[in-house]
Amino acid sequence: MRKHIVAGNWKMNKTFGEADDLLNDIMTKLESTTLDANTQLIVCPPFPYLEMTSDYSDDSYFMVGAQNVSDQEVGAYTGEVSAAMLESLEIDYCIVGHSERRAYYHETNEIVARKVDQLLKHGLKPIVCCGEVLEEREANKQFEVVKQQITEGLFHLTPEQFGEIIVAYEPVWAIGTGKTATPEQAQEMHAFIRSLIAEKYGNEVAEETSILYGGSCKPSNAKELFANKDVDGGLIGGASLKADDFIGIATAF
Ligand code: 13P
């Protein structure tokens, strides 16, 4: 059975004290919550809070991820954080190719591919984002766009390497807008992504790949999104900044 994953992407939010408070709230809430045994929580805080967040991690259902990584190994790259550094902090996951990084920091599919390579080399699991912007959806180009992102970003991997990948479908028009994809739109795209993976790596790899949905996911819509056969969880932005909402989503399976 594929893992159910609920990952919180805090983006550039929270000061140190606020981050500590939120982690405390999440842990307190978790104490009185029964999560499905197959559910994995991942919290992806800003870089400066990775270690603090790791201190809360129990290495089983509550894990820690970074939001970004350098595509280079080591050296004179001011401001960058390498996969080796994340490995040395025992960070398990890292988001790559988020639409905000693609839009504001010019992260191309080629850069995504190099970041994925760095992460795999250092034993981290990449959470690789894909998704179309509104104009592409309106022009019915969403499948073409996502196919290109997946093909150019990931299909250089061996089947064994691909086994480490988590895919996150985040339609850009749904991110932070309050406009969620319908369960049908999510299922349709997730099934399409799985079919691409099956075509390239075979059914077994495709059936084992967790594909998350992201974009205005909240406790009130998580259940109907997660009820779909190919939706294995969520990558949560705004709602991951409140313990009640984050845990509310995690219990929606
Ligand atoms: P929102 O949940 O705030 O729409 O953000 C989704 C997202 O970008 C997660 O990576």
Side-chain angles (χ1 to χ4, degrees), residues 7-11 13 22 98 100 170 175-176 213-218 234-242 245-246 249:
N9 175 9
W10 288 8
K11 308 191 179 182
N13 290 292
L22 175 55
H98 192 281
E100 288 149 18
E170 300 204 306
I175 296 178
Y213 168 80
S216 298
C217 187
K218 323 180 252 273
L235 181 54
I236 319 299
S240 73
L241 299 172
K242 289 189 194 128
D245 287 354
F246 188 52
I249 293 170

Side-chain angles (χ1 to χ4, degrees), residues 33-251:
T33 307
T34 314
L35 285 186
D36 179 304
N38 194 37
T39 299
Q40 172 91 73
L41 288 185
I42 305 171
V43 170
C44 304
F47 284 131
Y49 314 147
L50 281 172
E51 235 190 321
M52 165 173 68
T53 309
S54 286
D55 289 342
Y56 286 89
S57 165
D58 62 354
D59 280 335
S60 60
Y61 67 92
F62 181 89
M63 309 286 273
V64 186
Q67 296 176 17
N68 187 27
V69 69
S70 173
D71 63 336
Q72 302 295 324
E73 177 72 33
V74 66
Y77 300 99
T78 301
E80 290 292 285
V81 171
S82 70
M85 294 175 190
L86 297 175
E87 180 185 26
S88 68
L89 289 174
E90 298 182 17
I91 302 303
D92 300 293
Y93 296 87
C94 182
I95 299 169
V96 186
H98 192 281
S99 61
E100 288 149 18
R101 296 218 53 90
R102 291 178 189 265
Y104 309 143
Y105 304 100
H106 316 294
E107 199 160 300
T108 61
N109 293 332
E110 291 69 32
I111 296 174
V112 169
R114 288 204 296 273
K115 291 186 173 191
V116 166
D117 290 344
Q118 279 296 318
L119 291 170
L120 292 176
K121 183 175 172 196
H122 290 281
L124 282 94
K125 289 185 197 301
I127 303 173
V128 183
C129 303
C130 59
E132 79 286 357
V133 300
L134 185 61
E135 301 79 71
E136 291 162 343
R137 162 98 21 196
E138 283 173 349
N140 203 27
K141 289 200 163 137
Q142 65 272 24
F143 297 109
E144 199 181 306
V145 169
V146 168
K147 181 174 182 179
Q148 192 170 3
Q149 290 170 334
I150 298 275
T151 306
E152 294 181 2
L154 290 173
F155 281 1
H156 61 290
L157 301 176
T158 65
E160 195 186 29
Q161 288 176 316
F162 198 91
E164 300 298 306
I165 300 294
I166 296 167
V167 177
Y169 169 57
E170 300 204 306
V172 181
W173 46 271
I175 296 178
T177 57
K179 198 174 168 208
T180 320
T182 63
E184 294 73 26
Q185 286 171 323
Q187 169 56 28
E188 187 184 32
M189 183 58 85
H190 284 225
F192 174 70
I193 294 169
R194 202 176 304 286
S195 75
L196 292 176
I197 301 168
E199 228 171 83
K200 171 79 182 169
Y201 295 109
N203 275 330
E204 201 176 316
V205 173
E207 283 305 316
E208 280 173 11
T209 305
S210 292
I211 307 177
L212 316 183
Y213 168 80
S216 298
C217 187
K218 323 180 252 273
S220 58
N221 59 27
K223 221 181 197 90
E224 52 175 15
L225 285 162
F226 296 173
N228 290 285
K229 158 173 164 304
D230 290 295
V231 180
D232 305 309
L235 181 54
I236 319 299
S240 73
L241 299 172
K242 289 189 194 128
D244 279 346
D245 287 354
F246 188 52
I247 305 302
I249 293 170
T251 51

